[in-house]
Amino acid sequence: MAQPVTDEGAESKSARTRKRILDAAAYILSRKGYAGTRLSEVAELAELQAPAIYYYFASRDDVVEEVMWSGIADMRAHVSEALDTLPASTSPLARIMVAVEAHLRHELEISDYTTASIRNAAQVPEKIRTRQVAEEIAYGTVWKKLFKDAAEAGALAEHLDLGAARMLILGALNWAAEWWTPEAGPLDAVVRAAQTMVISGLGPGGNPSPLDV
């Protein structure tokens, strides 16, 4: 005999359905952009009837807003976790290299949410960017600390503008979402190139390998 569905079971099913909707939306948004994202296509990919989406979200913009926020929140958690697992003896520059790799891999390989967030930041209406902007500021503090620690350790070029350098690096890392595909070459090569460029630009002199910092 079939068992009755408990409240907990119903909630779990509802949460799974909501996640399917968001996963589908993130996939489409990351590839087709804000203007090209249709709830009918999201519903099809999520294996739902289109009207069912409105049980979970009031509008298309509500779906997009959740994806955009989640992408940056997930990125911050991923990069922070990668940094937190490093030994205490890890040098400040090596920590920046780890953050570079974690950012690129999450953006390009791990999360459609993050790809969607980065690629659509300038496309979505400001009214649905509020939570995302707040999360971007929180994520920025992770990078500010990395640069501050490296500067205090004397690991950066003496006259480097830390704010400008940080924003230039993050801008370059984010731009990879616009041009990189697996057909463009292995992601490992992109990570290595980014680390080499960053370490060469930040260091007080010479061109050390990312593996030697």
Side-chain angles (χ1 to χ4, degrees):
M1 178 181 296
Q3 296 297 314
V5 177
T6 64
D7 289 344
E8 182 180 350
E11 182 179 353
S12 179
K13 180 179 179 182
S14 177
R16 290 196 300 270
T17 302
R18 189 176 187 275
K19 186 176 187 305
R20 288 213 322 272
I21 293 169
L22 290 171
D23 286 350
Y27 179 89
I28 295 169
L29 190 64
S30 68
R31 289 157 176 81
K32 296 190 174 183
Y34 176 71
T37 298
R38 301 283 182 268
L39 283 186
S40 57
E41 192 172 356
V42 172
E44 182 179 358
L45 188 59
E47 300 181 340
L48 296 169
Q49 295 296 316
I53 291 179
Y54 292 102
Y55 177 80
Y56 301 91
F57 299 95
S59 67
R60 182 186 76 137
D61 278 357
D62 281 357
V63 179
V64 172
E65 192 267 353
E66 186 71 17
V67 169
M68 297 289 285
W69 169 78
S70 295
I72 304 304
D74 292 349
M75 169 86 88
R76 179 163 70 100
H78 178 75
V79 173
S80 296
E81 182 179 359
L83 293 170
D84 289 345
T85 60
L86 294 174
S89 59
T90 304
S91 74
L93 282 181
R95 290 177 63 81
I96 292 176
M97 295 302 98
V98 168
V100 166
E101 178 169 9
H103 183 110
L104 280 173
R105 292 196 183 280
H106 201 267
E107 167 194 1
L108 301 176
E109 183 178 56
I110 296 173
S111 175
D112 286 333
Y113 288 75
T114 300
T115 308
S117 296
I118 291 171
R119 297 196 69 192
N120 290 279
Q123 297 182 29
V124 301
E126 282 300 317
K127 66 180 181 179
I128 64 174
R129 277 257 298 150
T130 303
R131 279 205 302 161
Q132 181 189 5
V133 169
E135 193 59 46
E136 287 172 354
I137 292 171
Y139 181 48
T141 62
V142 174
W143 284 85
K144 285 181 181 179
K145 186 177 189 309
L146 288 171
F147 275 68
K148 179 175 179 290
D149 291 347
E152 290 178 351
L156 302 184
E158 184 178 352
H159 300 296
L160 186 70
D161 184 313
L162 299 186
R166 185 181 71 253
M167 296 305 293
L168 285 167
I169 289 170
L170 286 173
L173 296 179
N174 287 343
W175 186 249
E178 298 292 341
W179 62 264
W180 184 83
T181 64
E183 292 73 27
L187 182 53
D188 286 350
V190 176
V191 170
R192 180 72 174 185
Q195 289 177 322
T196 299
M197 292 175 65
V198 169
I199 199 65
S200 297
L202 292 180
N207 294 291
S209 163
L211 299 182
D212 296 333
V213 298

